[in-house]
């Protein structure tokens, strides 16, 4: 929601007959005119939709015909991509961070999104608040506790003194969910924002890369790029829906002290998939917004309660210690690829940096659209500072408080490490159980929070996908429903076919989406730097 001061500032620059959209852009180009200018056609939009859904249908078909063939293929492919692509994903993550720093500290940071006279539509407070909300999600709730507990049992670079084992465990979690992760989101959002507001492209990924190619190749390349984006997003959301539903099921087990079977786990996936499907069909935007706001409030209350009733002094002490380890080991972490590992089953990297950064690339597809919409009028220096460091700070605080409490519990009861390693969804609830007085209440709160994040993640992802594939065609409620059903069906498929190995197998969905999209991001970066060499604002100031 905009602040009053922001609205007043923006309107002073709007002629009474002019129209301002949600980003603060005055007289946004009508969709039909923009589609005609950029060569977008309804036919191309339908091709992207059809091919994307067909790819998902093929995957579903293979699994339904022969589950064993499907699982064996997933295992073989994961072995292959881990062996040959883990170095690439780790390198890409570091390059995203390096480019963010380059943009922030050089003349490029003075470029303003939307032109030199563009004004932000949101105050700093509102902008940071929305970035804060974007920085919380299913992945952080699941892994911010499980990862430090599992890392406490051992990391690639074990601390020479066992006293620092907890600091090292938290530092690795900061590395996976804070700076590099948000650098990935920021750089994809930055490339899209510049293309949208400074190069007058539409809000699609094809618009960020197609100028690299000859006129004859632009359309086919653009279609392929958009299909890769759709598949990456579908597979990334499949992982989120599957993991979060699995953790929700664990929460139900803890609340009611019962053991549930696979049938109930599948039922929860279908339930949350159905809620998201109904949301996109009926267009209950206000309801989803209210759930998002509730998620943010519940998250703050949850973290505050853990901090107050948990090991407060340990949390206060471990924050500077773990941050120091993170800064000291950052380059070593950034370059670690587990070179020489032939089987993903033996690779630490496959289950951590490789998987998580693939997930970040897959999630960046729809994060970019949202961040772009709220960031017009910011300089690139403001953009990088706000999008990378504000959400990263939120992630570090969350991880230190909740994950640090998990490490404290593991220090008192080493059995927690073994239980979490065996079932990572237990990490959060074992940690909560260790908190006196409010442990039972927090278990209920955490389970509700997980459910809320599932619904908002799938809903926002589907809405973003529908926008990417509809620059010319009308956004279709039917296609949004098909996307939601595809995500739900894939999550159910992985859960049913993988059985006890579900948590490991479903990670492949994210890997399958993240690796191809990382190549798209590379092309986006090449195009961005070709554009900014001749940026109008830099030319006008004699800096180009």
């Amino acid at each position: 929601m905009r602040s009053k001061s922001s609205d007043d500032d923006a309107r002073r620059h709007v002629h009474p007959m002019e129209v301002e959209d949600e980003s603060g852009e005055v007289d946004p180009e009508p969709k039909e005119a923009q589609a005609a200018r950029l060569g977008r056609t309804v036919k191309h939009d339908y091709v992207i939709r059809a091919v994307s859904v067909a790819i998902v249908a093929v995957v579903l078909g293979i699994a339904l015909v022969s589950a064993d063939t499907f699982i064996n293929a997933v295992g073989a492919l994961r072995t292959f991509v881990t062996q040959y692509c883990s170095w690439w994903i780790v390198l890409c993550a570091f390059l995203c961070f390096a480019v963010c720093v380059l943009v922030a500290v050089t003349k490029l940071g003075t470029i303003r999104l939307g032109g030199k006279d563009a004004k932000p539509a949101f105050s700093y407070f509102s902008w940071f608040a929305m970035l804060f909300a974007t920085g919380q999600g299913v992945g952080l709730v699941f892994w911010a506790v499980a990862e430090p507990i599992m890392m406490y049992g051992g990391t690639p670079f074990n601390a020479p003194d066992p006293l620092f084992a907890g600091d090292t465990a938290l530092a690795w979690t900061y590395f996976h969910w804070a700076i590099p992760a948000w650098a990935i989101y920021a750089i994809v959002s930055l490339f899209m924002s510049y293309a949208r507001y400074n190069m007058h492209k539409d809000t699609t990924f094809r618009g960020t890369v197609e100028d690299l190619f000859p006129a004859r190749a632009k359309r086919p390349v653009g279609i392929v790029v958009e299909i890769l984006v759709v598949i990456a997003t579908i597979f990334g959301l499949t992982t989120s829906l599957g993991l979060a539903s699995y953790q929700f099921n664990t929460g139900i087990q803890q609340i009611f002290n019962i053991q549930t079977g696979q049938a109930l786990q599948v039922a929860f996936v279908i339930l949350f998939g159905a809620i998201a499907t109904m949301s996109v069909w009926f267009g209950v935007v206000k309801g989803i917004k209210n759930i998002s706001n509730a998620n943010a409030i519940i998250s703050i209350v949850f973290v505050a309660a853990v901090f107050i009733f948990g090991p407060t002094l340990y949390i206060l002490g471990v924050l500077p210690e773990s941050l120091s380890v993170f800064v000291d080991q950052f380059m070593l972490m950034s370059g670690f690829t587990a070179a020489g590992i032939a089987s993903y089953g033996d690779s630490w990297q496959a289950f951590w940096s490789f998987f998580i950064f693939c997930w970040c690339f897959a999630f960046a597809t729809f994060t970019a659209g949202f961040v772009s919409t709220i960031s017009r009028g910011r300089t690139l220096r403001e953009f990088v500072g706000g999008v990378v460091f504000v959400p990263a700070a939120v992630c570090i605080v969350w991880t230190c408080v909740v994950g640090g409490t998990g490490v404290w519990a593991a220090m008192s009861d080493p059995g927690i490490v073994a239980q979490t390693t065996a079932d990572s969804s237990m990490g959060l609830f074992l940690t909560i159980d260790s908190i006196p007085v409010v442990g039972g209440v927090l278990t209920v709160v955490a389970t509700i929070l997980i459910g809320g994040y599932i619904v908002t993640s799938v809903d926002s992802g589907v809405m973003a996908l529908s926008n990417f594939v509809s620059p010319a065609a009308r956004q279709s409620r039917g296609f949004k429903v098909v996307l939601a059903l595809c995500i739900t069906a894939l999550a159910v498929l992985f859960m049913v076919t993988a059985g006890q190995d579900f948590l490991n197998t479903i990670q492949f969905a994210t890997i399958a989406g993240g690796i191809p999209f990382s190549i798209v991001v590379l092309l986006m970066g090449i195009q961005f730097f070709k554009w900014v060499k001749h940026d109008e604002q830099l030319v006008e100031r004699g800096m180009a």
Side-chain angles (χ1 to χ4, degrees), residues 130-287:
M130 286 184 284
L131 292 174
F132 169 84
T134 309
Q136 296 292 313
V138 168
L140 191 62
V141 172
F142 191 102
W143 290 110
V145 188
E147 181 169 347
I149 292 175
M150 296 167 74
M151 294 284 188
Y152 184 69
T155 64
F157 322 125
N158 288 321
D161 189 333
L163 183 65
F164 293 100
D167 301 325
T168 305
L170 287 168
W172 270 103
T173 311
Y174 300 159
F175 175 72
H176 287 143
W177 296 103
I179 297 294
W182 273 98
I184 293 172
Y185 299 150
I187 211 65
V188 177
S189 304
L190 176 63
F191 294 159
M192 173 172 279
S193 299
Y194 188 85
R196 176 180 180 181
Y197 296 124
N198 295 60
M199 301 307 298
H200 311 292
K201 300 291 184 178
D202 50 13
T203 313
T204 65
F205 282 89
R206 68 191 100 163
T208 65
V209 301
E210 58 191 3
D211 286 355
L212 288 172
F213 300 92
R216 182 176 297 181
K218 280 186 178 182
R219 288 186 178 181
V221 168
I223 290 173
V224 171
V225 165
E226 222 66 63
I227 290 171
L228 290 176
V229 169
V230 174
I231 294 301
T233 309
I234 288 176
F235 283 2
L237 288 171
T238 295
T239 300
S240 296
L241 176 59
L243 289 179
S245 298
Y246 189 87
Q247 191 176 41
F248 183 87
N249 178 72
T250 302
I252 295 298
Q253 291 179 352
Q254 296 299 305
I255 292 171
F256 296 103
N257 195 26
I258 59 174
Q259 291 297 315
T260 59
Q262 188 185 68
L264 188 58
Q265 294 175 13
V266 171
F268 283 135
V269 173
I270 294 173
L271 171 64
F272 289 117
I275 293 172
T277 301
M278 288 188 291
S279 168
V280 298
W281 175 259
F282 292 108
V284 286
V285 176
K286 185 176 180 180

Side-chain angles (χ1 to χ4, degrees), residues 57-77:
V58 169
V59 173
L60 291 171
I62 293 172
L64 290 173
V65 171
S66 176
D68 289 340
T69 300
F70 175 72
I71 292 301
N72 291 336
V74 166
L77 286 172

Side-chain angles (χ1 to χ4, degrees), residues 13-33:
H13 297 271
V14 182
H15 188 276
M17 297 301 293
E18 292 176 328
V19 180
E20 180 185 354
D21 71 0
E22 75 281 1
S23 72
E25 188 171 6
V26 176
D27 274 343
E29 187 177 12
K31 180 176 180 176
E32 295 79 6

Side-chain angles (χ1 to χ4, degrees), residues 89 231-240 243 354-363 494 505-517:
I89 291 297
I231 294 301
T233 309
I234 288 176
F235 283 2
L237 288 171
T238 295
T239 300
S240 296
L243 289 179
F354 180 52
F355 158 62
I356 291 171
F357 291 151
C358 280
W359 200 355
C360 291
F361 276 109
F363 250 62
F494 277 102
T505 304
I506 199 170
Q507 293 180 6
F508 177 74
T510 284
I511 293 170
I515 291 175
F517 182 65

